[in-house]
Amino acid sequence: MPGPVDLRSDTVTRPTPPMRAEMAAAEVGDDVYGEDPTVNALEAEVAALFGHEAALFAPTGSMANQIAIQLLVPPGSELLCDADAHVVTYEVGAAAAYGGVSSRTWPPVGANVDPEQVAAMIRPDGYHAVPTRAIAVEQTHNRGGGGVVPLGTLRDLRRIADDAGVALHCDGARIWHAHVADGVPLTSYGELFDTLSVCLSKGLGAPAGSVVVGSAEQIARARVVRKRMGGGMRQAGVLAAAGRYALRHHIDRLAADHVRAARLADALAPFGVLAGPVRTNIVPLDLTKCGFDAPELGVAARDRGVLVSVLGPRIARLVTHYDLDDAGVDRAIEVLTEIFRR
């Protein structure tokens, strides 16, 4: 009997047989000593992809983000970001708990960031105010329906950050999707940010791992922060091998996930439940005008073999990924359209 069609997240994918083979054959060493050759190779490759000097492998995306934030924002200083940003929504207050970082947010607008609004929020030193030290941008934007922040907007934010003397961080967990959707070279993104965090398990199909990207000096400090946060791993090359395989084989195929997300969106559009345009692999749903709420949708879909992500009372999300094929999309469309017709 086939399993459920899982549209909750692109983190539910399982390593492919070739990926598992590379993991099993990985050359390993003790990464806390800097002696795992596969980890070292992954870090060098990711740094080069974004045109930076160095990179650091971390076990999770949240840890990678928080390492980067601690590099840029001293305790008692401020990070600016979107109110729906992952760094302040899904990382359980880590910036404050671990780094003593104060956060202030602009209204949730997904990828439609207004650079001038951000510029107006920056607080300089003095007047007993909390000084702004960094701005964080999410690319693509999770709660913004997988929206892609335009390259021109990012360039404006870089200019604003430079003028104000603050840093710019990219939560690039799904930056691979932006790269494929807009055709922007990864180096063009990399040159705009002081630090980036990029994920190997969201969309790319690795079982775990993210990478912090920055200067050699920053990454030397990042190793200390990672250890302090409990992220030092020993023979981590087994995981790094999966990431290296994903980078070679799973980036270009993300276009197929975008096509399948567009199919889902086209099928559901007549019911008036789309929360916004679908650019990448996330289909955001707003059930405000429906006769049932998001938890009810989740239960009804699950009972019919389709799993969806419930993000709030009236907000749900569908995510396409490596383990979802066209037959799965067909089944999801059949089930969801039947539910919305009730």
Side-chain angles (χ1 to χ4, degrees):
M1 186 176 189
V5 177
D6 198 337
L7 299 174
R8 291 174 299 170
S9 177
D10 46 7
T11 61
V12 302
T13 55
R14 296 154 296 181
T16 63
M19 181 182 285
R20 288 176 182 266
E22 291 218 6
M23 294 171 69
E27 185 180 359
V28 299
D30 190 323
D31 184 49
V32 173
Y33 286 112
E35 295 173 355
D36 191 302
T38 307
V39 171
N40 293 342
L42 172 68
E43 291 170 344
E45 288 164 6
V46 174
L49 282 175
F50 290 92
H52 276 252
E53 291 180 334
L56 180 72
F57 187 47
T60 72
S62 292
M63 183 179 287
N65 270 330
Q66 294 305 320
I67 289 170
I69 289 170
Q70 289 182 57
L71 294 177
L72 303 178
V73 186
S77 298
E78 178 179 79
L79 173 75
L80 298 182
C81 63
D82 184 314
D84 270 348
H86 194 282
V87 294
V88 293
T89 304
Y90 293 123
E91 298 182 12
V92 291
Y98 283 104
V101 173
S102 178
S103 300
R104 195 155 50 93
T105 61
W106 59 83
V109 292
N112 300 315
V113 182
D114 179 353
E116 296 309 316
Q117 181 182 41
V118 177
M121 293 178 65
I122 296 173
R123 286 176 175 158
D125 288 305
Y127 307 104
H128 304 288
V130 179
T132 304
R133 298 301 186 206
I135 302 164
V137 182
E138 191 170 326
Q139 181 76 305
T140 63
H141 199 294
N142 176 17
R143 287 183 66 90
V148 180
V149 183
L151 186 62
T153 299
L154 297 177
R155 286 173 172 159
D156 286 343
L157 289 171
R158 178 72 267 174
R159 172 184 52 78
I160 287 165
D162 287 342
D163 289 346
V166 303
L168 190 61
H169 170 65
C170 179
D171 174 1
R174 294 185 175 91
I175 199 168
W176 322 106
H177 284 281
H179 163 64
V180 170
D182 279 5
V184 175
L186 295 173
T187 51
S188 295
Y189 285 132
E191 68 186 12
L192 297 174
F193 294 98
D194 297 281
T195 57
L196 303 95
S197 65
V198 298
C199 187
L200 303 170
S201 64
K202 286 181 176 175
L204 295 191
S210 286
V211 183
V212 184
V213 182
S215 69
E217 182 274 333
Q218 287 172 326
I219 298 305
R221 290 193 289 124
R223 292 186 183 278
V224 177
V225 178
R226 183 185 67 178
K227 182 67 173 175
R228 184 178 297 131
M229 295 179 73
M233 297 179 286
R234 300 299 179 175
Q235 287 69 39
V238 175
L239 291 174
R244 295 185 72 198
Y245 182 90
L247 292 173
R248 293 196 307 272
H249 298 284
H250 291 176
I251 293 179
D252 290 344
R253 64 146 308 279
L254 294 174
D257 294 342
H258 300 176
V259 170
R260 291 181 177 122
R263 283 188 57 210
L264 285 166
D266 288 345
L268 299 180
F271 300 98
V273 294
L274 295 183
V278 173
R279 289 290 322 281
T280 55
N281 69 320
I282 298 177
V283 183
L285 302 180
D286 182 350
L287 307 184
T288 302
K289 298 179 181 179
C290 285
F292 49 86
D293 60 20
E296 289 172 317
L297 171 65
V299 171
R302 184 188 62 208
D303 289 345
R304 293 164 174 79
V306 175
L307 305 180
V308 305
S309 182
V310 176
L311 302 181
R314 292 283 176 177
I315 302 297
R317 180 187 76 169
L318 314 175
V319 185
T320 57
H321 51 76
Y322 191 94
D323 281 5
L324 178 71
D325 58 15
D326 288 331
V329 173
D330 292 339
R331 176 60 182 156
I333 289 173
E334 177 185 354
V335 167
L336 293 173
T337 54
E338 176 186 326
I339 292 171
F340 285 122
R341 285 194 186 103
R342 311 194 300 199

